[in-house]
Amino acid sequence: MGLGDDIMMGGEWKAVYNQSNKKVIPDGEWSPMWNNIDYIVKDGKNTLKLPTHPNGLRPYIERWGHNQIIFKEYQPKIGDIVFTDKENQDVMKILWTKGLEKNSIYFNRLWGRNEYDKPVIYVNPDSKNTTSCNNKEWPWEYWCELVESLSDCDVIRCKPQSTTDVSGHVPYNNPDLPGAINIDISDPRHAFNIMSSCDLVITTEGGAHHAAAALGIEAIVLYGAFISPRNTGYSHQHNIYNGPDIPYGSTVPDERCIQAMRDIKTHRVLGLARDLLSS
């Protein structure tokens, strides 16, 4: 599973724990997203062993078709991401090393917000494009336009390293995002730790929008037409879906999905961001 799937399963297990008062032992590979969560454990008494892939599928997938995923309606439950003091300190060192000791996000972490701080926005232009190919990508030039229009804010972009997961090799090749504070990150927990000090997240559908939900951060989520908020969306987030009643779910490049993302214009996202920051 991807990190977003792991966070979603954590939300499911949180509901199980709240109902049964029994902690959950994942039956499958352990995810770092579950570190430090007291109701998800590796062993112990008064526990339930539950599969990480119920019925062999992710909870929002009905089945796999030819070059297509057939999704089903699913309402993810909000999970948790819990950081240790050491993780918090490590991220402070990263920010300091990056020269951000005079940046709003650094002050947020030390003292909390005050009315003179700049808004801090976390943007995620780095879509995981293995299963979905490039069908979930918002155009790079739109990200550049958005950041340029948010020059009165501190815009943070945590730049991931290429990795490998259950879907295969996951390449991240985007360059530095002009106008943003680009921070190279090897550990996604560090990225989500930084996200926890931001005021707003702007991302395509995926792990970052699940992390924002778990951390209680306002989020604008760009869906396009590959997958729908009816499959992986949170009702309190601001979801922009641009597809048919049944999303395409194409696992090969699909011009319909690509065009749906292109049709989400920068001014629409910018206007929504301004409204949220002023509310």
Side-chain angles (χ1 to χ4, degrees):
M1 296 193 296
L3 299 180
D5 299 319
D6 297 336
I7 296 170
M8 276 191 283
M9 289 311 303
E12 291 289 338
W13 296 335
K14 180 179 182 179
V16 169
Y17 173 72
N18 288 337
Q19 293 169 1
S20 68
N21 202 33
K22 291 186 177 182
K23 298 181 180 182
V24 172
I25 298 176
D27 186 7
E29 185 176 353
W30 181 269
S31 169
M33 294 298 103
W34 306 326
N35 291 355
N36 317 312
I37 298 177
D38 58 6
Y39 52 83
I40 306 176
V41 296
K42 295 182 178 179
D43 52 45
K45 297 179 180 180
N46 193 35
T47 56
L48 295 171
K49 193 170 187 178
L50 297 178
T52 56
H53 290 70
N55 301 315
L57 292 169
R58 302 168 192 176
Y60 52 89
I61 293 179
E62 182 69 39
R63 59 186 173 87
W64 291 76
H66 177 64
N67 292 335
Q68 182 187 27
I69 304 171
I70 291 84
F71 297 110
K72 63 182 179 182
E73 289 195 17
Y74 171 71
Q75 176 67 64
K77 300 175 177 65
I78 298 175
D80 290 303
I81 302 176
V82 180
F83 303 111
T84 63
D85 288 342
K86 183 180 184 306
E87 285 179 306
N88 293 333
Q89 292 166 5
D90 287 344
V91 165
M92 291 294 274
K93 292 177 184 177
I94 291 171
L95 296 175
W96 184 273
T97 302
K98 188 67 178 176
L100 300 182
E101 68 275 8
K102 295 182 180 179
N103 182 271
S104 293
I105 192 169
Y106 194 89
F107 289 115
N108 286 0
R109 298 176 71 89
L110 287 177
W111 299 299
R113 295 203 56 74
N114 66 63
E115 61 182 311
Y116 302 107
D117 285 338
K118 281 185 178 182
V120 183
I121 302 175
Y122 183 107
V123 297
N124 175 41
D126 303 287
S127 297
K128 177 183 168 183
N129 57 7
T130 46
T131 303
S132 61
C133 294
N134 59 343
N135 294 322
K136 294 201 299 182
E137 292 183 3
W138 201 44
W140 181 256
E141 62 268 26
Y142 289 13
W143 286 109
C144 295
E145 291 171 1
L146 179 67
V147 173
E148 182 180 10
S149 299
L150 291 169
S151 58
D152 56 325
C153 303
D154 284 332
V155 180
I156 305 288
R157 181 276 191 104
C158 290
K159 188 177 178 182
Q161 293 184 353
S162 297
T163 186
T164 300
D165 69 5
V166 68
S167 61
H169 179 62
V170 183
Y172 292 110
N173 301 317
N174 285 330
D176 281 356
L177 184 58
I181 300 164
N182 294 272
I183 304 175
D184 292 318
I185 292 291
S186 59
D187 184 344
R189 288 186 61 86
H190 286 164
F192 295 155
N193 192 307
I194 290 171
M195 178 192 289
S196 72
S197 297
C198 296
D199 300 295
L200 176 66
V201 173
I202 304 175
T203 181
T204 52
E205 188 273 348
H209 95 269
H210 295 293
L215 296 169
I217 308 298
E218 198 95 64
I220 298 171
V221 187
L222 312 179
Y223 274 84
F226 172 79
I227 191 170
S228 163
R230 293 164 62 181
N231 310 126
T232 60
Y234 299 88
S235 59
H236 70 283
Q237 292 184 335
H238 305 273
N239 304 312
I240 301 178
Y241 179 63
N242 226 22
D245 287 344
I246 299 176
Y248 297 119
S250 303
T251 57
V252 294
D254 188 331
E255 186 58 36
R256 299 169 300 177
C257 296
I258 295 167
Q259 187 60 48
M261 290 303 269
R262 293 196 68 86
D263 287 341
I264 302 174
K265 300 302 184 183
T266 308
H267 66 81
R268 181 178 179 185
V269 180
L270 176 64
L272 181 53
R274 292 290 187 198
D275 289 345
L276 293 173
L277 291 171
S278 64
S279 63

